[in-house]
Amino acid sequence: MHERGMLIVLSGPSGVGKGTVRQAMLDGNYRDFQYSISMTTRQMRPGEVDGVDYYFRTKAQFEHEIATGGMLEYAKYVENYYGTPLKYVNETLDAGRDVLLEIEVNGAMQVRKKCPNGVFIFLTPPDLSELRHRLKGRGTDDDVTIDKRIRKAASEITMMENYDYAVVNDKVDLAVKRIERIIESEHLRVPRVIDRYKGMLASADLAR
Ligand code: 5GP
């Protein structure tokens, strides 16, 4: 019998660099987790690949998944659906592997309710002007959309109190190191390991 994997939820305001941090984690040395690819109805950006960056689906397809209970969580964000397919997460956790979700804050709160044993990490920008700078630098959104995202980010930062950890994304490699340390420490928490030790004691021959 192996232990169930741990669900790691990386969230935070749009443009804070969640995607970059997630990619750096996938490219890094610590690869003891599986990334859950999200489903979305938004347009594919140049360079993105269906089934790698997202599962790109139509609104009708997405709504069918919702209706048939196929989503662990979902949110409508800047006019598009984004969500986490449930089956992959369950199967991977059952197989004893950790699963990483990189999702926005409303979705993260749905997961918090359904999976209270998960680890909830809030990625924060050093400040809001830095966030605007990054969104502009990315060059994928027009000014109106950027303003919308900044206003949303300001209200999202107050949601930090619903998380277990706050990680500043001042430098990607530092943020990744902080997250890796969180994951390692979380694996050592007594509630996560106590059953294993109880099992060991129950099967040990102590009569010597
Ligand atoms: P983008 O369009 O820039 O790829 O993503 C927009 C926002 O959607 C980001 O904040 C990203 O973290 C979030 N997002 C990506 N996948 C999911 C998901 O499966 N569920 C939720 N709730 N948000 C997601």
Side-chain angles (χ1 to χ4, degrees):
M1 256 288 285
H2 52 66
E3 281 158 36
R4 208 161 187 259
M6 193 165 76
L7 185 63
I8 305 151
V9 179
L10 179 63
S11 189
S14 166
V16 71
K18 294 190 295 291
T20 310
V21 169
R22 175 243 296 173
Q23 195 55 49
M25 288 179 71
L26 291 174
D27 294 341
N29 296 327
Y30 181 86
R31 270 310 324 265
D32 227 356
F33 63 90
Q34 297 292 111
Y35 172 62
S36 161
I37 300 166
S38 295
M39 192 177 286
T40 186
T41 59
R42 84 146 159 72
Q43 290 288 314
M44 217 187 268
R45 292 180 187 142
E48 286 184 330
V49 177
D50 184 34
V52 176
D53 299 283
Y54 283 103
Y55 297 111
F56 293 95
R57 297 290 182 264
T58 63
K59 190 163 173 266
Q61 287 169 329
F62 201 108
E63 286 176 346
H64 176 75
E65 283 301 322
I66 297 171
T68 53
M71 306 308 282
L72 169 62
E73 60 76 32
Y74 69 93
K76 228 178 182 175
Y77 178 83
V78 196
E79 315 304 325
N80 284 301
Y81 282 120
Y82 293 82
T84 304
L86 177 63
K87 189 164 175 272
Y88 177 81
V89 172
N90 270 341
E91 286 178 357
T92 311
L93 292 175
D94 284 345
R97 301 219 57 192
D98 291 353
V99 174
L100 174 72
L101 308 184
E102 182 252 291
I103 62 180
E104 54 72 68
V105 288
N106 293 307
M109 289 305 95
Q110 295 168 41
V111 180
R112 175 120 233 182
K113 286 207 186 86
K114 288 186 185 169
C115 313
N117 292 338
V119 182
F120 292 80
I121 302 172
F122 191 82
L123 200 63
T124 68
D127 60 56
L128 282 182
S129 55
E130 167 68 19
L131 180 59
R132 180 180 293 276
H133 182 71
R134 276 193 218 178
L135 285 173
K136 267 194 181 296
R138 196 162 72 176
T140 51
D141 297 312
D142 58 29
D143 283 352
V144 176
T145 309
I146 288 179
D147 282 347
K148 245 191 197 172
R149 287 191 174 216
I150 294 279
R151 268 200 300 280
K152 199 171 162 66
S155 74
E156 283 174 344
I157 286 174
T158 64
M159 293 181 79
M160 182 195 284
E161 60 192 2
N162 300 309
Y163 290 74
D164 302 312
Y165 297 92
V167 169
V168 181
N169 188 21
D170 45 0
K171 287 220 165 69
V172 173
D173 56 335
L174 293 181
V176 168
K177 281 209 184 86
R178 291 172 190 132
I179 292 168
E180 289 172 355
R181 286 203 295 266
I182 290 168
I183 296 171
E184 280 171 8
S185 305
E186 277 289 329
H187 271 293
L188 306 180
R189 284 174 65 87
V190 168
R192 293 194 198 279
V193 298
I194 191 143
D195 285 346
R196 190 195 326 150
Y197 284 92
K198 281 184 178 162
M200 179 184 81
L201 290 177
S203 62
D205 182 5
L206 302 175
R208 270 190 59 158

